[in-house]
Amino acid sequence: MDPTMKTIKKIGLAVALIPLLGAMSAHANIFEVNNASTQGGEFFEDVFFGGAFGQSEADDYCGTSSSCTEDDTSWKIYGGYKINDMIDAEVAYNSIGDLNREGEAGRETAEIDALSISAVGKYEINDSVEALGKIGATRWTSNNSDGDEDGFSINYGFGAKVRLNETMKLRAEWESISDVETAGGRKTDVTTMSLGIELETL
């Protein structure tokens, strides 16, 4: 498939998820009813979810290649659970984007996706701003021009959240995934910077 069409399909999927997230937030009062009568409702009080767009970059991917693209648009969706005031558990799917370079055997391409689970540490700076740091494990997949590769790596990152209202936060984040294998057996650390919206249930 043409790389441009792949990007359009990815962005289209992410955009299609935005109304769903909004609808879930708008009906979060359903959980309030459950909270009054069931133990299951108490669980949902601590659930959050969100989505973000950003920019990805593969460190040292280009090397000496004179024709190379080592960054792309990225997006992610995620959900998590507040274990306590200091730690969250979080699961995320990240579409990192497409890379390409002129290699020894011709044009090399890689399309990278990742599924991660992380522990997220939190520190409340004030009533509106919260700093975060995360570390976890990632299952990545790289669809390469010379064959697909997948594996497990460490992921880590840091960022901040700014509360917009009772159920919504603006979230900015920098993240890294180590040793992702691309075409030609090359390994690269992939980093992303993103900005998105996080929604909480009531």
Side-chain angles (χ1 to χ4, degrees):
M1 182 182 294
D2 183 90
T4 302
M5 290 303 298
K6 287 182 180 179
T7 301
I8 292 172
K9 288 183 69 176
K10 289 179 181 179
I11 294 174
L13 175 58
V15 170
L17 288 169
I18 292 174
L20 175 60
L21 294 175
M24 292 175 70
S25 178
H27 291 84
N29 61 325
I30 293 173
F31 298 125
E32 287 189 286
V33 175
N34 291 339
N35 289 339
S37 58
T38 68
Q39 186 175 355
E42 294 177 1
F43 172 87
F44 286 107
E45 281 185 333
D46 295 317
V47 171
F48 61 90
F49 49 91
F53 283 96
Q55 185 78 15
S56 63
E57 183 175 356
D59 297 341
D60 299 323
Y61 173 78
C62 288
T64 59
S65 175
S66 59
S67 177
C68 179
T69 302
E70 62 182 4
D71 52 35
D72 198 7
T73 300
S74 64
W75 60 269
K76 71 173 183 176
I77 53 174
Y78 63 91
Y81 181 75
K82 301 173 188 175
I83 296 175
N84 55 42
D85 290 339
M86 298 183 64
I87 299 176
D88 294 342
E90 188 173 288
V91 176
Y93 169 77
N94 197 327
S95 176
I96 295 170
D98 298 335
L99 311 174
N100 63 83
R101 68 188 303 276
E102 195 64 40
E104 296 177 359
R107 199 69 182 170
E108 299 175 349
T109 62
E111 180 183 356
I112 304 170
D113 300 282
L115 182 65
S116 62
I117 182 168
S118 307
V120 182
K122 306 174 292 181
Y123 178 74
E124 189 175 282
I125 298 173
N126 55 44
D127 290 342
S128 300
V129 180
E130 181 178 84
L132 64 91
K134 70 194 300 184
I135 187 166
T138 294
R139 173 73 170 182
W140 53 263
T141 301
S142 185
N143 298 317
N144 303 322
S145 52
D146 60 355
D148 297 345
E149 298 289 345
D150 55 63
F152 288 94
S153 297
I154 294 173
N155 71 278
Y156 58 93
F158 59 88
K161 304 179 188 181
V162 178
R163 181 168 292 281
L164 302 177
N165 57 40
E166 187 178 2
T167 61
M168 185 180 297
K169 295 178 180 179
L170 183 69
R171 176 165 167 168
E173 198 167 6
W174 177 92
E175 299 171 271
S176 178
I177 302 172
S178 303
D179 295 332
V180 176
E181 187 170 341
T182 61
R186 295 178 179 84
K187 290 188 176 181
T188 179
D189 293 346
V190 178
T191 61
T192 61
M193 295 186 67
S194 62
L195 183 66
I197 295 295
E198 181 173 300
L199 303 172
E200 300 175 333
T201 53
L202 292 174

